Amino acid sequence: MSEPLLQVAGLSTQFHTQAGVVKAVSDVSFSLERGQILGLVGESGSGKSVTGFSLLGLVDPPGRIAEGSIRFDGQELVGMPQPDLRALRGKRIAMVFQDPMMTLNPVLSVGTQMTLAVRAHDKVSKQMARDRAVEALTRVGIPDAGHRLDAYPHQFSGGMRQRVAIAIAMIHSPDIIIADEPTTALDVSIQAQILHEMRELAKDSGTALIWISHDLATVSSLAERLLVMYAGTIVEEGPTARVLRNPRHPYTRGLLDSLPATAPPGQNLQQIPGSMPSLLALPPGCAFAPRCSFASEVCNGDVPYLVTGPSAFRCHHPIGEAK
Amino acid sequence: MSETFLSLDAIIKRFSPSLSVGDQIAARLGAKVETRSVHAVDDVSLSILRGETLGLVGESGCGKSTLGRIAAGILPATSGTASLGGEAVMINGRKTTTEVQTVFQDPFASLDPRMPIGDIIAEGPITHNLITRSDAKSYVGGWLERVGLDAGFAERYPHQFSGGQRQRVAIARALAMQPQLLICDEPVASLDVSIQAQIINLFLKLRRELQITCLFISHDLSVVRHVSDRVAIMYLGRIVEIGETETVYSSPSHPYTRALLDSVPKLVLEDDALVELRPIVGEIPSPLDPPAGCSFNPRCPMARDRCIKEEPQLRAMGTGQQTACHFSD
Ligand SMILES: Nc1ncnc2c1ncn2[C@@H]1O[C@H](COP(=O)(O)OP(=O)(O)OP(=O)(O)O)[C@@H](O)[C@H]1O
Ligand SMILES: Nc1ncnc2c1ncn2[C@@H]1O[C@H](COP(=O)(O)OP(=O)(O)OP(=O)(O)O)[C@@H](O)[C@H]1O
Ligand code: SF4
Ligand SMILES: [Mg+2]
Ligand SMILES: [Mg+2]
């Protein structure tokens, strides 16, 4: 078997702050194949964005990658000089953010920004760059793209702006797009359009997608594999439908049970008590132990190791495997 | 039981652009300055029965918060009246009652960061003579415990709490005013699912204990389904469908309600099931220039001539709800 497109092993990213060391990402490992869609879910502050930034070499001081390896198409990204990383970013690995204005410049027309994006990596004529911009905008479903090149970002709706940001990410047909909650701020009707388009784009262009979200349902309609993150670590990983059907980790189970759709209307929902621990002072054993109804002595003392199988999980008392 | 408590009568709200003198002159000289007003709420009438929870759903900008603020007596309507038990909630731009209180989406923005939460909760009840200053400590302690916080937390400041805890404080602050009607505007939208479930459970518990009437605003269809007795669907400033929650969800009759329910991603539990996503085509039109006739017509798969010419009114459907569509039955 050949090497996967992306192989992350033992990645730890930390922020050295006055209050102490924030362990934002701890010992994260996963791999991504060409054209695959990977979902990364977890609650706020669990380390999803920092994981994404780490892959792109975008962690700024006081943050740093403390440990681990990120192999992308045969090259090691950890420790790679910034100019080399810059040559990859946007060209072979691109990112889409929750707020499209992190990508878009408010004072430049959409056409200008897109031609700049093309010419940052490909030495082509301005006209050719414009043609590619029109093509990219058309692909993400912006009608009459040729006429909208001269418009400025504020002249687009939120959903349209996010499409422009996606078009920019797609412009070099990258190997990987990291999409960090790209539809969270959008309405459901617009979200459904964008999910649909992203799936088609990934299929047509062979681009692999890391889809970061806190919404299990969205991810389940898109991703083949699922990573569940809690307090900086991957607590469960596997084929999406399998993990959701038969979660082995109590946290994954708890997330599923908290969804309003799982209880009859008006009845109490299952709830996970408490909240995520501070990443400055993680408990010594399993980080989920203080909230876990299965927790025992060993959970409070020892960090659970990764158990691999059809789905992989880190738990001393996993939920049984369904037949 | 079923007596009308909150009544909204033909509410219209327009926001006019606040133009500077320079803009006004420029507009008169023909420059492109936005002079049109936003049609935020367009002739909404509805009522909430005593003890009932009405859910209000719709996409961003459709006018949910505006309608909620008018019902709460904190925003004047352009025309129409909001009344509680027959009394107008606002007269000459002033709120007339303490019987309606609001819980907002962002608990951080709505709590004064410089005040200990005990003072935040006690402020309203003391000002309105519900309690005396000397009662404040035990009164606040009682409410903190009721919302699942330690009475000893009264001395702490908002930043010392997590998002979910801050929302508990905001709920305690609203309920400490002993309202009859609680308006919740996206109370769980900024919370993670695990915390969201805690707050929804708290809401259900308090509603049972206090028998409070509630307007529950959210863009999350599954949350609204869970907590509401009846639900109203809003689109571009209008109510397009209203009825018993289970009726609307199981047999939606407005094409927009159907499309909205179809757009919600569902948990996919089958391997390799390529779920069909059926997005609504097009975007929500600008409230500056709502389409003539039925405001959903540019996106509606059923639209015909009549939909462009004539504005549909709410009317009773065979399944029980009321729907504003020419062709639904
Ligand atoms: N520059 C920084 N300095 C200190 N801590 C940071 C910094 N950036 C992120 N963190 C911390 O790292 C942790 C992980 O943050 P991250 O943004 O990855 O979470 P997330 O899972 O993306 O959450 P959300 O769903 O809210 O976006 C958080 O506790 C955050 O406070
Ligand atoms: N103070 C204001 N001045 C001008 N326009 C306003 C004002 N408040 C609201 N609007 C406009 O009125 C319309 C309805 O806004 P509203 O906040 O009620 O929508 P909403 O349904 O609550 O949306 P969301 O889901 O985003 O909270 C929007 O077009 C909005 O831009
Ligand atoms: S290791 Fe223990 S505490 Fe952690 S999730 Fe498993 S059972 Fe719960
Ligand atoms: Mg994030
Ligand atoms: Mg609102």
Side-chain angles (χ1 to χ4, degrees):
Chain A
M1 235 173 92
S2 64
E3 199 183 346
L5 177 64
L6 179 77
Q7 177 104 50
V8 178
L11 178 70
S12 295
T13 303
Q14 305 179 341
F15 294 90
H16 293 260
T17 66
Q18 284 189 331
V21 179
V22 178
K23 294 187 175 159
V25 174
S26 308
D27 195 12
V28 160
S29 304
F30 64 90
S31 65
L32 179 69
E33 308 287 344
R34 234 167 244 291
Q36 192 176 47
I37 305 182
L38 186 72
L40 176 56
V41 295
E43 58 197 275
S44 189
S46 59
K48 305 181 296 294
S49 296
V50 173
T51 301
F53 289 138
S54 301
L55 300 182
L56 288 161
L58 285 177
V59 179
D60 294 325
R64 63 184 193 94
I65 295 182
E67 246 181 295
S69 139
I70 302 168
R71 287 193 70 77
F72 166 68
D73 200 19
Q75 311 165 71
E76 175 60 53
L77 301 191
V78 176
M80 185 182 259
Q82 275 299 330
D84 296 350
L85 277 170
R86 262 198 299 277
L88 289 180
R89 268 202 304 265
K91 172 85 179 158
R92 301 201 57 199
I93 307 181
M95 188 144 182
V96 178
F97 302 93
Q98 173 171 345
D99 179 359
M101 293 314 284
M102 297 230 344
T103 307
L104 301 176
N105 184 333
V107 302
L108 295 180
S109 74
V110 163
T112 304
Q113 301 190 46
M114 295 192 72
T115 42
L116 284 173
V118 173
R119 283 156 55 97
H121 295 288
D122 291 342
K123 301 290 156 250
V124 297
S125 72
K126 276 203 175 132
Q127 188 51 49
M128 196 125 127
R130 272 181 86 86
D131 291 346
R132 274 175 61 185
V134 172
E135 191 193 308
L137 289 175
T138 309
R139 256 198 304 182
V140 295
I142 294 194
D144 200 14
H147 286 102
R148 305 196 70 168
L149 280 185
D150 296 322
Y152 289 82
H154 73 265
Q155 293 171 299
F156 288 84
S157 69
M160 284 292 182
R161 274 198 289 257
Q162 191 59 287
R163 289 201 176 114
V164 174
I166 292 169
I168 292 178
M170 297 292 303
I171 215 157
H172 293 285
S173 304
D175 299 278
I176 302 175
I177 293 181
I178 301 169
D180 191 357
E181 313 243 17
T183 60
T184 305
L186 303 176
D187 280 311
V188 276
S189 74
I190 309 298
Q191 165 173 290
Q193 292 172 9
I194 290 191
L195 286 179
H196 180 75
E197 284 155 15
M198 285 301 266
R199 199 162 65 186
E200 296 297 304
L201 289 171
K203 202 165 65 198
D204 296 346
S205 61
T207 298
L209 212 55
I210 299 180
W211 188 270
I212 298 176
S213 174
H214 61 268
D215 180 24
L216 286 172
T218 308
V219 170
S220 78
S221 62
L222 198 66
E224 298 142 63
R225 288 189 76 77
L226 180 66
L227 303 175
V228 182
M229 205 161 181
Y230 186 79
T233 47
I234 307 283
V235 295
E236 182 154 10
E237 191 212 330
T240 307
R242 182 184 182 97
V243 170
L244 297 179
R245 226 173 28 229
N246 183 197
R248 309 295 308 276
H249 197 283
Y251 175 65
T252 315
R253 172 86 268 162
L255 274 186
L256 282 163
D257 288 344
S258 310
L259 297 176
T262 55
Q267 300 296 303
N268 274 354
L269 301 170
Q270 297 279 338
Q271 61 182 51
I272 308 177
S275 54
M276 206 174 74
S278 160
L279 299 176
L280 282 165
L282 287 171
C286 169
F288 188 56
R291 304 175 76 185
C292 181
S293 56
F294 296 77
S296 70
E297 203 63 30
V298 60
C299 307
N300 293 319
D302 301 341
V303 175
Y305 48 84
L306 189 74
V307 180
T308 54
S311 59
F313 51 87
R314 282 175 190 274
C315 173
H316 293 298
H317 306 295
I319 296 159
E321 201 168 350
K323 283 281 141 14
Chain B
M1 192 55 200
S2 50
E3 100 208 59
T4 294
F5 188 46
L6 174 76
S7 163
L8 300 179
D9 232 336
I11 303 282
I12 291 178
K13 181 68 189 180
R14 301 256 158 97
F15 290 105
S16 308
S18 43
L19 298 184
S20 66
V21 177
D23 284 346
Q24 287 175 24
I25 295 169
R28 236 176 271 160
L29 295 176
K32 258 211 224 157
V33 174
E34 191 53 77
T35 53
R36 295 169 297 178
S37 59
V38 174
H39 297 231
V41 176
D42 213 351
D43 195 12
V44 167
S45 297
L46 59 81
S47 54
I48 306 185
L49 307 182
R50 199 179 274 280
E52 169 184 68
T53 296
L54 178 76
L56 181 61
V57 279
E59 297 182 277
S60 186
C62 71
K64 304 181 294 297
S65 296
T66 303
L67 191 61
R69 287 162 67 209
I70 291 169
I74 52 183
L75 181 75
T78 305
S79 68
T81 43
S83 48
L84 203 60
E87 311 276 334
V89 294
M90 198 177 214
I91 293 175
N92 296 330
R94 295 184 68 103
K95 188 174 173 183
T96 57
T97 172
T98 59
E99 293 211 336
V100 41
Q101 296 294 326
T102 316
V103 175
F104 295 99
Q105 165 172 356
D106 183 352
F108 207 45
S110 66
L111 301 176
D112 184 342
R114 288 155 309 186
M115 268 166 91
I117 60 150
D119 292 359
I120 292 178
I121 295 170
E123 194 182 27
I126 292 175
T127 316
H128 289 94
N129 298 319
L130 296 175
I131 56 166
T132 62
R133 211 164 274 283
S134 55
D135 296 335
K137 190 162 185 249
S138 67
Y139 187 72
V140 166
W143 276 108
L144 284 175
E145 280 171 0
R146 221 159 174 176
V147 299
L149 295 172
D150 198 305
F153 287 177
E155 314 290 322
R156 298 194 188 173
Y157 290 83
H159 75 266
Q160 293 173 287
F161 294 93
S162 69
Q165 288 175 321
R166 282 198 290 263
Q167 200 56 292
R168 290 176 193 266
V169 173
I171 291 172
R173 176 182 56 177
L175 293 180
M177 289 297 291
Q178 304 174 16
Q180 298 288 313
L181 173 70
L182 189 65
I183 297 188
C184 299
D185 190 355
E186 307 270 8
V188 294
S190 59
L191 306 175
D192 281 302
V193 251
S194 76
I195 308 298
Q196 173 180 298
Q198 296 174 3
I199 299 297
I200 290 174
N201 286 349
L202 174 67
F203 171 80
L204 294 172
K205 173 185 99 122
L206 292 170
R207 188 179 66 180
R208 262 191 316 270
E209 288 173 5
L210 304 170
Q211 310 219 326
I212 205 160
T213 307
C214 191
L215 175 64
F216 196 100
I217 299 173
S218 176
H219 66 275
D220 186 325
L221 288 146
S222 61
V223 170
V224 166
R225 181 179 203 165
H226 197 75
V227 302
S228 313
D229 301 304
R230 282 191 308 138
V231 63
I233 314 284
M234 201 165 178
Y235 187 76
L236 267 181
R238 303 210 176 125
I239 304 296
V240 297
E241 180 159 359
I242 181 169
E244 301 288 330
T245 305
E246 278 321 296
T247 311
V248 172
Y249 278 79
S250 57
S251 34
S253 70
H254 196 285
Y256 175 65
T257 314
R258 278 204 292 272
L260 194 63
L261 288 168
D262 275 348
S263 311
V264 179
K266 320 230 163 10
L267 262 191
V268 181
L269 300 177
E270 300 85 48
D271 297 312
D272 307 319
L274 198 62
V275 262
E276 198 196 335
L277 293 161
R278 276 169 297 177
I280 311 180
V281 292
E283 311 236 342
I284 304 171
S286 163
L288 287 168
D289 191 12
C294 172
S295 47
F296 190 55
N297 80 60
R299 307 172 81 187
C300 182
M302 295 182 15
R304 282 181 250 166
D305 244 16
R306 186 171 170 204
C307 308
I308 297 159
K309 295 194 181 117
E310 195 185 326
E311 184 187 323
Q313 302 299 320
L314 283 172
R315 58 196 174 83
M317 299 287 112
T319 30
Q321 70 268 54
Q322 292 199 302
T323 302
C325 168
H326 293 306
F327 300 106
S328 293
D329 42 32

